[in-house]
Amino acid sequence: MRPLRGCRGRGIVVRTVALCLAAGWALQTPGGVSLVVPQPNINATVAQNILLSVEYSCRGVATVEWKHVSTWGTTKIVEWKSGNYVNVSTVYKDRVTTFENGSIQLLNVGMRDAGYYFITVTEEHGTSTYGTIIVNVYEIIYEDLHFVAVLFVFLAAVSAILVCFMWLCNKSLRLFQKKMTHKLTGLETLTNVFTVNVQCSHFCNASPPASIASFQESNPASMRS
């Protein structure tokens, strides 16, 4: 006797439901931990705050650990157990904020903060999972048009001030040269006048020649008249 088609269909449905329940039970049994890293690459600039975002799930309480690996070596950042303890490295003290989902936030990053960030999530039964985030840190490059405009105006103002200062210096120098020339001309005139006066005084005070003296002695009457 052949089985009915309806019974065969119900058997398939029962087996499917059984498989789903088995899979769900396997996920809920101890030893299952998952980790999702939504942004594995982060680009940041100096002095910026960055969020290393992850999301983990497990049965029970897990231990989360973050490490930083770069050309300067490997540094442990933080390790914590939800609701139990939080151990932050001395290097990152006051720079790290932890979150319940396993994420951390780094404050005021620098060039030395670039590199690889490894997260390890270990559940209480010993099963672990890992994740990696690459962080690139760049120097601040001023490409803002507002900054460029302000810098241009500042340089133009400085240039204008320098041009005015040079013009004033040139004008003052010319006035000084003109006054000095006028003084030198007056001094030269006074020198010439003084020279003439000296020459006249010397001529008037000098004794008359011998011929004039003998004439005066021989003709005193004419000299009186």
Side-chain angles (χ1 to χ4, degrees):
M1 184 175 180
R2 299 177 60 185
L4 297 176
R5 292 184 179 179
C7 295
R8 183 181 298 176
R10 280 196 291 270
I12 295 173
V13 172
V14 170
R15 285 195 295 271
T16 303
V17 173
L19 289 173
C20 291
L21 290 175
W25 176 257
L27 291 175
Q28 293 179 359
T29 54
V33 58
S34 62
L35 177 66
V36 178
V37 181
Q39 190 177 359
N41 292 281
I42 297 177
N43 296 322
T45 55
V46 174
Q48 184 180 353
N49 301 333
I50 61 174
L51 176 66
L52 305 181
S53 178
V54 297
E55 183 75 34
Y56 79 90
S57 62
C58 67
R59 183 181 177 87
V61 181
T63 301
V64 181
E65 181 185 46
W66 281 91
K67 289 183 179 181
H68 176 220
V69 179
S70 66
T71 55
W72 291 280
T74 303
T75 306
K76 184 177 180 179
I77 302 174
V78 62
E79 180 183 351
W80 79 89
K81 194 172 186 178
S82 181
N84 196 341
Y85 66 90
V86 177
N87 292 332
V88 181
S89 175
T90 306
V91 180
Y92 291 90
K93 191 175 182 180
D94 300 329
R95 290 189 56 211
V96 175
T97 304
T98 60
F99 299 92
E100 289 295 327
N101 63 352
S103 303
I104 62 173
Q105 185 181 33
L106 289 180
L107 306 178
N108 194 25
V109 297
M111 297 299 296
R112 294 178 68 93
D113 291 317
Y116 298 87
Y117 289 81
F118 294 99
I119 178 175
T120 303
V121 181
T122 305
E123 64 163 359
E124 55 188 355
H125 296 283
T127 305
S128 300
T129 186
Y130 308 93
T132 306
I133 296 178
I134 302 174
V135 175
N136 301 309
V137 182
Y138 302 96
E139 294 281 355
I140 298 176
I141 301 176
Y142 295 99
E143 295 180 351
D144 190 4
L145 294 178
H146 178 71
F147 174 81
V148 174
V150 171
L151 181 62
F152 178 78
V153 171
F154 175 76
L155 294 177
V158 172
S159 300
I161 293 173
L162 290 176
V163 170
C164 293
F165 179 75
M166 293 177 64
W167 180 80
L168 289 175
C169 290
N170 188 28
K171 190 172 183 64
S172 300
L173 181 62
R174 288 187 176 182
L175 290 175
F176 179 75
Q177 291 177 347
K178 187 175 181 181
K179 289 183 179 180
M180 290 300 296
T181 303
H182 181 71
K183 288 183 179 181
L184 291 175
T185 303
L187 182 61
E188 184 178 359
T189 303
L190 291 175
T191 303
N192 294 333
V193 171
F194 179 75
T195 304
V196 171
N197 291 334
V198 169
Q199 291 177 353
C200 291
S201 175
H202 179 72
F203 178 78
C204 294
N205 294 330
S207 59
S211 57
I212 297 176
S214 60
F215 176 77
Q216 289 177 351
E217 290 177 356
S218 60
N219 298 290
S222 61
M223 292 300 297
R224 292 192 195 98
S225 62

